[in-house]
Amino acid sequence: MLNKEQLIKDAEKKYQSLTFRDDFLFCKILTNNPDIAKDLIEMILNKKIKKVVPQKQFSIEITSESRGVRLDVYLDDTEETVYDLEMQTTSKKELPKRMRYYQGMIDLNLIERGANFSELKKSYIIFICTSDPYKMGKYYYSFENLCTENPNLSLGDETYKIILNTSGTKNDVSENLQEFCNLINSGTGKTDLCKRINDEVQKSK
């Protein structure tokens, strides 16, 4: 049986081996550094954001009988938009249904009984996956609700789902985003954002 000192040493060794792709550091760094979270979202969505406010340890429980969710990194901004970032390091077939469930739970949390549906905020659910869920080699898969008869017609519900596949092989994203994917895969990246993330990883250790 291991003694207390050995257990502590083993725990410290395990913690020192963590990288940004590990759920604990991913959540800690992005919730404690809104500037990094903001720059990451801007890079993934290719759009500017004024400000993001992380909600730490954000869980949604609707009833005691229903299944709740704990969101990895949940952020609000000053433009009526919310963002959920999730790190997914294992391959799961139910990923699309999981994204659907998260979307529903977020909407239930956003609106109060009797409120107008117009109060629902625009939402982005972003999954960073280390394996390709669709086996197409793309780095970037984006989804929104479109008309089957006319794909140019959006439903307009302002819900968007993004899957960033860090193991992509196609040249379908910017060099900066590819460098971020390298950071997730190998722990190294050449951009300023990657260096800032790695600095925070070292600080945490």
Side-chain angles (χ1 to χ4, degrees):
M1 183 176 181
L2 295 175
N3 58 36
K4 183 177 181 181
E5 182 178 350
Q6 185 60 49
L7 289 171
I8 292 174
K9 287 182 179 180
D10 290 346
E12 289 177 346
K13 184 177 180 180
K14 183 177 180 181
Y15 188 80
Q16 289 298 320
S17 68
L18 294 180
T19 65
F20 183 64
R21 66 187 280 166
D22 291 286
D23 187 65
F24 175 75
L25 283 185
F26 178 76
C27 299
K28 180 179 180 180
I29 289 172
L30 293 184
T31 54
N32 290 342
N33 298 274
D35 57 324
I36 291 179
K38 174 179 175 292
D39 290 348
L40 177 57
I41 293 172
E42 287 184 337
M43 182 175 63
I44 292 174
L45 299 182
N46 193 28
K47 72 167 194 171
K48 287 293 182 181
I49 302 169
K50 289 183 179 179
K51 180 182 179 182
V52 293
V53 180
Q55 308 294 323
K56 295 184 179 181
Q57 297 178 338
F58 196 84
S59 298
I60 303 174
E61 300 284 348
I62 303 302
T63 68
S64 58
E65 291 80 21
S66 65
R67 177 171 180 172
V69 296
R70 185 188 69 80
L71 306 179
D72 282 356
V73 182
Y74 183 78
L75 309 104
D76 206 336
D77 71 1
T78 57
E79 299 175 307
E80 296 298 308
T81 306
V82 295
Y83 308 88
D84 170 37
L85 280 78
E86 302 286 330
M87 178 62 69
Q88 185 69 51
T89 58
T90 58
S91 179
K92 292 187 176 181
K93 293 182 179 180
E94 71 271 17
L95 182 63
K97 293 288 183 72
R98 184 177 168 194
M99 298 181 85
R100 170 182 166 181
Y101 190 72
Y102 279 28
Q103 179 67 67
M105 294 292 279
I106 289 172
D107 284 346
L108 284 170
N109 185 68
L110 284 173
I111 195 166
E112 297 179 358
R113 179 176 295 183
N116 194 294
F117 289 117
S118 63
E119 295 181 23
L120 284 172
K121 297 180 179 181
K122 181 185 296 185
S123 66
Y124 289 88
I125 297 178
I126 303 169
F127 271 66
I128 301 172
C129 299
T130 56
S131 60
D132 189 344
Y134 298 107
K135 311 302 181 185
M136 296 174 61
K138 294 174 65 65
Y139 279 100
Y140 200 90
Y141 300 95
S142 59
F143 304 90
E144 64 176 294
N145 291 319
L146 302 174
C147 177
T148 303
E149 290 73 26
N150 181 4
N152 293 319
L153 176 63
S154 171
L155 179 63
D157 59 350
E158 296 188 315
T159 62
Y160 306 92
K161 300 173 182 67
I162 311 292
I163 294 175
L164 178 64
N165 164 40
T166 65
S167 63
T169 57
K170 307 288 187 182
N171 189 28
D172 59 333
V173 295
S174 67
E175 290 184 9
N176 286 344
L177 197 49
Q178 286 188 40
E179 285 298 320
F180 173 75
C181 291
N182 290 338
L183 172 71
I184 300 299
N185 294 335
S186 65
T188 59
K190 299 177 182 178
T191 64
D192 175 69
L193 177 61
C194 292
K195 292 175 182 176
R196 286 158 58 201
I197 290 173
N198 270 337
D199 285 345
E200 291 302 323
V201 169
Q202 295 308 313
K203 287 179 184 178
S204 295
K205 292 182 178 182

